[in-house]
Amino acid sequence: MSFKVALNFEDGVTRVIDCNDGETVLDAAYRHQVKLPMDCSDGVCGTCKGTCRQGKYDLGDEYIDEALTDDEAEDGIILTCQMLPESDVVVNIPAASSLCASGPQSITSTVTGVQALSDTTIELNVKLSEPLAFLPGQYINLGFPGDNDSRAYSFSSLPGSDEASFLIRNVPGGKMSSYLSNTAVEGDELPVTGPLGSFYLRAVERPVLMLAGGTGLAPILSMLEYMQAEGLQQPVFLLYGVTNVSDLVKLDALEAFAEAMPQFSYATVVVNSESGHERQGFVTDHMDAVPFALVEADTYLCGPPPMVDAVRQYFKDSGTEPHSFHYEKFNPSTPKEEAA
């Protein structure tokens, strides 16, 4: 038996390793040539501290209070030299990946399909040179054929497969948009670096509210793929906002999720007041559609900066504080511009 351990480094890099039953996280990491911070490896110095608030584990009792206090242990602080996973876990490491000899993985992807889903959205499908483990919601840097440049895109597919998909905003004159629209062909090889990012699905233990704008739907789809595969039962509701009706994409996928997962439902919102759509305006105008109390929910928000700012302001003005709030803001001034 083995478990997946996602090591999240402070520079945003994630490395997923296998940890055998009865093996410490530190030993598993070194077996994978990931050199986590350590000194004594005996639970004495505290150098190997990390944080784990997702998954089950045995912290053991072969460490001293000076290395880890009871209060720290209760708050999810762990010693990787003592921690024995009992399920898949996520461990935050307070060090940069470069200091642990573990930068992001670099592999190759091969284009298997490019489809314009709308005037504003392109779907890219690739086959990876090897399966890539990532946390649902994370992204990779995707390169161009024969070019060192890259752009960041969130997966819309299930983690751990050698087939991956992405929703890419069609930006007029954008480098990736132009490539996909004009010159991309099946068989093109694109370099992939990752996974990256702190926006990912945490342990699902309470209702989940998802808010997506435009191609911010991509990481939400990855999360739903994972939830379906894991058979999770908590209520999940998605509010999906776009500018025009024609910008609504992957509705067939959302319908399929709703059929497969009775606890999942969704609603769409269109900004254009002349659209005739059932729900017009912004996502924040329709928060009353959420079928559970916001304060009880873990909230995941992904979209362009104006949407993210509007939702954050809504929570502030309404005095509403979700149980937890995680968001991904795509900044148009960065290479991630075409994912917004």
Side-chain angles (χ1 to χ4, degrees), residues 26-74:
L26 182 66
D27 287 344
Y30 271 72
R31 182 165 54 81
H32 286 83
Q33 299 182 332
V34 179
K35 299 180 180 180
L36 296 181
M38 60 83 69
D39 189 1
C40 71
S41 76
D42 294 319
V44 174
C45 68
T47 302
C48 67
K49 281 182 181 177
T51 306
C52 181
R53 296 191 177 94
Q54 183 164 333
K56 298 178 181 179
Y57 59 90
D58 181 359
L59 188 53
D61 54 13
E62 297 183 3
Y63 60 89
I64 64 175
D65 289 343
E66 285 75 8
L68 186 71
T69 67
D70 290 342
D71 288 343
E72 287 178 319
E74 290 179 4

Side-chain angles (χ1 to χ4, degrees), residues 38-234:
M38 60 83 69
D39 189 1
C40 71
S41 76
D42 294 319
V44 174
C45 68
T47 302
C48 67
K49 281 182 181 177
T51 306
C52 181
R53 296 191 177 94
Q54 183 164 333
K56 298 178 181 179
Y57 59 90
D58 181 359
L59 188 53
D61 54 13
E62 297 183 3
Y63 60 89
I64 64 175
D65 289 343
E66 285 75 8
L68 186 71
T69 67
D70 290 342
D71 288 343
E72 287 178 319
E74 290 179 4
D75 197 35
I77 307 299
I78 55 88
L79 300 175
T80 60
C81 76
Q82 301 295 310
M83 179 185 179
L84 299 171
E86 296 177 339
S87 73
D88 294 347
V89 295
V90 178
V91 180
N92 295 326
I93 304 298
S97 61
S98 58
L99 299 178
C100 302
S102 178
Q105 294 173 260
S106 296
I107 60 176
T108 301
S109 67
T110 303
V111 174
T112 58
V114 178
Q115 181 181 5
L117 301 182
S118 70
D119 290 341
T120 58
T121 305
I122 300 170
E123 183 172 45
L124 170 65
N125 293 283
V126 301
K127 187 171 183 64
L128 304 173
S129 56
E130 61 183 79
L132 184 63
F134 61 90
L135 299 172
Q138 289 190 304
Y139 69 91
I140 50 89
N141 288 325
L142 184 67
F144 299 84
D147 190 331
N148 292 328
D149 201 3
S150 66
R151 297 291 185 271
Y153 299 109
S154 299
F155 289 95
S156 60
S157 49
L158 184 68
S161 172
D162 64 354
E163 296 182 350
S165 60
F166 309 89
L167 297 182
I168 297 173
R169 182 184 174 192
N170 188 1
V171 178
K175 185 171 181 177
M176 183 62 76
S177 303
S178 298
Y179 161 67
L180 294 176
S181 299
N182 302 317
T183 61
V185 296
E186 290 188 18
D188 279 357
E189 292 191 351
L190 310 177
V192 168
T193 304
L196 300 158
S198 59
F199 181 73
Y200 59 85
L201 183 68
R202 272 63 176 180
V204 180
E205 300 173 339
R206 56 190 60 84
V208 175
L209 172 61
M210 298 172 157
L211 305 171
T215 52
L217 181 66
I220 300 302
L221 292 174
S222 181
M223 293 179 183
L224 290 171
E225 291 277 10
Y226 177 82
M227 290 178 176
Q228 180 179 345
E230 293 296 309
L232 301 178
Q233 298 300 315
Q234 290 288 350

